Amino acid sequence: MKRLRALIADDEEIMGEALAQLLRQMPDIEVSGVCHDGDEALDLIGKTKPDIAFLDIRMPGLTGIEVAEILKRKEDSPAVVFVTAYDEFALKGYEVDALDYILKPFERADIERVLRKIRKHRLRRLPDVPETGFEAAPPLNAHPEKFCAYDGETMIILDSQTIRLFYAEGGEVFLLTESGERFMLKQTLQEIEQKLDDRRFFRCHRNYIVNMDFVKKITPGFNRGYLLTLQGEKSVEVPVSRAHTKALEQYIYF
Amino acid sequence: MAAEKGDFRAASQHNGKEPEVSPEQKAKWEEQQLLLLQTEYRMLRAQVNPHFFFNTLSTIQALIPSDPDKAVTLIKNLASFFRKTLNPDQEIVTLKEELETVRNYIQIEKVRFGDRINLVEALPAELLACKMPVFSLQILVENAIHHGLSLKKGNGRIRVSGWIEGDSWYLNVEDDGVGMSETRLEEVRQGEAVRSARGTGIGLFNVRRRVQTLYGDEYGLKIQSEWHKGTSVTVRFPLIPRKCREERGGERGGHEET
């Protein structure tokens, strides 16, 4: 397995060092740096290109959340893990793709949990060339063409081309087909996003992934975002949140 | 000091006009108000900052392998802090007693923040016996750290000073932390005057509410702040508190069974 390089940003030296100690005990992790404020974190991430950034939320300069929001708009940014003593961003409903977060005080098991998740995520995302040792199996069937949805006990097999939309609602995940049928799924949106071919599917909002083949109209939406109108049996409107508007340019030449 | 007084009163909730009511209704209404205030007062007193609690726990955990003696000291300091704050035996304390709580608190925070936090006391000896609602100073110092110094790069300073003017005494807490923008300051002033749903200014609301409940609407606090410069909060207390109010305040404290 490739060693993952981790950067730590925590304004409390004791805490930063404690996390570094824990990470150094893990065989497949290398601590590439420890810094103490948000500006420094952003600078070091740009210079040292770590695979993971452990970010405290409340820090002098940029907050951990602000750093994550900037990273999101950049190419090959590290996976972000927030380290916080208090559930701050959950309270504020921030729209940031944190792969996970760790609550302080943390223990080794918490770190192992997020690392497992990051490895899984990375394996799917990029076919890493293994440096040494045993070879990682190539990701099989990275983008399946068929999706399995549940109608009670029955599993319905759907062709991804016929799926207009995946969305989260009230803690459940659904898909909406071309003909207007709705099915519940067992995966999270994040998991689905990883399986989908991102040349066709676009995560336009925390709660939505759209099939761009169905998008026929774009109108300005709330808070400098957009509204996509999806064609089909009955047209559907889907918001593009501000954080995702930039990525829309990868699909549409404006 | 007329202008100053005006400022301190500004936060009180009187809107001028009062509706016409019968004396009986008014008496009943006042009694209900008093009950409400007593309940609210107890709740205000019991507020503990969750950030502080969880952060200190994780600092202790981090110290256990690297510096166990320091971890033990920190646990002792935290215990004595919570002994005072979770179940205070008095509602009204002297400035001297309040300072002890604050020093205890600063000792804990200095383990986390090191030289980024420095407390400077500039209090004339004659003020030390002055009375105040418990944790008034503590809340102001907590605010100075949480909103001011902990977000500042480099070292900072909290200065606690006090003085006497006429029949009042004043307590000032000033920090050289990140300060507030004008908009933010306005939000905090609003939150301080009326309890806001978002919790902005809740600590200041807490202090002002208790000061005014105990001593009257002419007392209270004044906030000044400048972005990147720091924040200063001044509280005005009576030198000789109105007797009945103080007794009422005293009665409420002390003998609660929990």
Side-chain angles (χ1 to χ4, degrees), chain B residues 40-70:
Chain B
E40 183 185 275
Y41 198 104
R42 288 210 178 89
M43 285 174 62
L44 290 176
R45 207 191 52 188
Q47 274 168 15
V48 172
N49 182 345
H51 272 283
F52 168 68
F53 178 61
F54 290 117
N55 274 313
T56 308
L57 275 191
S58 56
T59 307
I60 290 170
Q61 189 206 31
L63 283 171
I64 290 172
S66 59
D67 194 344
D69 290 345
K70 209 172 187 178

Side-chain angles (χ1 to χ4, degrees), chain A residues 13-247:
Chain A
E13 285 181 30
I14 295 173
M15 291 313 300
E17 205 34 60
L19 180 55
Q21 278 298 337
L22 253 178
L23 289 172
R24 283 185 197 118
Q25 286 167 20
M26 301 187 177
D28 48 349
I29 298 288
E30 179 191 321
V31 177
S32 68
V34 181
C35 61
H36 305 292
D37 68 59
D39 303 345
E40 229 184 309
L42 196 62
D43 188 46
L44 272 178
I45 288 167
K47 281 181 187 150
T48 64
K49 298 272 172 220
D51 302 296
I52 315 171
F54 289 91
L55 304 177
D56 183 15
I57 292 187
R58 280 184 63 93
M59 285 189 288
L62 294 167
T63 66
I65 290 173
E66 285 162 345
V67 172
E69 271 171 356
I70 294 169
L71 289 176
K72 246 184 105 169
R73 286 181 249 127
K74 291 191 175 175
E75 292 282 304
D76 59 86
S77 285
V80 168
V81 179
F82 290 117
V83 185
T84 175
Y86 190 58
D87 210 347
E88 289 149 305
F89 58 97
L91 291 173
K92 290 172 187 164
Y94 276 98
E95 214 182 283
V96 177
D97 274 342
L99 260 181
D100 217 327
Y101 64 96
I102 297 171
L103 279 181
K104 292 187 215 171
F106 49 77
E107 58 177 339
R108 197 188 160 96
D110 298 312
I111 315 285
E112 282 167 347
R113 173 178 54 84
V114 296
L115 290 177
R116 262 201 307 279
K117 220 168 157 181
I118 288 168
R119 288 213 173 276
K120 220 166 132 187
H121 182 79
R122 287 180 61 86
L123 243 143
R124 284 175 185 166
R125 205 183 50 177
L126 32 112
D128 260 345
V129 181
E131 286 178 338
T132 50
F134 43 88
E135 270 185 39
L140 290 167
N141 198 11
H143 305 301
E145 277 300 303
K146 308 281 183 193
F147 273 78
C148 178
Y150 293 82
D151 182 13
E153 292 283 284
T154 317
M155 289 179 267
I156 314 272
I157 308 300
L158 297 159
D159 196 314
S160 71
Q161 289 179 40
T162 67
I163 299 169
R164 278 197 286 175
L165 177 68
F166 293 89
Y167 63 101
E169 194 179 273
E172 301 287 352
V173 174
F174 301 94
L175 64 77
L176 185 73
T177 66
E178 193 174 10
S179 55
E181 284 178 302
R182 187 178 107 135
F183 296 100
M184 199 192 279
L185 294 163
K186 300 216 160 162
Q187 299 91 332
T188 64
L189 268 191
Q190 175 108 348
E191 284 163 349
I192 292 166
E193 188 188 1
Q194 284 158 19
K195 280 286 177 192
L196 290 169
D197 184 348
D198 60 7
R199 281 168 300 181
R200 174 178 289 144
F201 287 93
F202 170 44
R203 178 76 175 262
C204 58
H205 186 278
R206 189 156 43 115
N207 294 329
Y208 300 95
I209 303 171
V210 292
N211 183 341
M212 290 303 290
D213 293 348
F214 287 93
V215 175
K216 293 296 167 217
K217 204 164 83 185
I218 301 177
T219 39
F222 173 71
N223 194 15
R224 288 196 271 151
Y226 294 110
L227 266 183
L228 304 177
T229 305
L230 306 191
Q231 233 181 12
E233 172 70 21
K234 233 166 109 188
S235 74
V236 183
E237 283 188 339
V238 178
V240 180
S241 57
R242 216 171 90 194
H244 295 92
T245 50
K246 190 86 188 130

Side-chain angles (χ1 to χ4, degrees), chain B residues 93-143:
Chain B
V93 293
T94 61
L95 176 57
K96 186 166 181 273
E97 289 166 315
E98 182 73 3
L99 260 181
E100 279 161 21
T101 310
V102 167
R103 285 176 190 151
N104 184 191
Y105 169 75
I106 293 284
Q107 270 187 320
I108 297 169
E109 293 289 64
K110 270 192 89 77
V111 177
R112 285 178 58 203
F113 295 107
D115 282 339
R116 290 170 60 198
I117 287 173
N118 296 287
L119 179 70
V120 179
E121 295 171 19
L123 293 159
E126 70 257 34
L127 280 183
L128 293 178
C130 284
K131 302 276 181 84
M132 62 200 294
V134 68
F135 310 138
S136 307
L137 177 58
Q138 170 61 27
I139 288 171
L140 301 183
V141 172
E142 270 180 35
N143 272 347

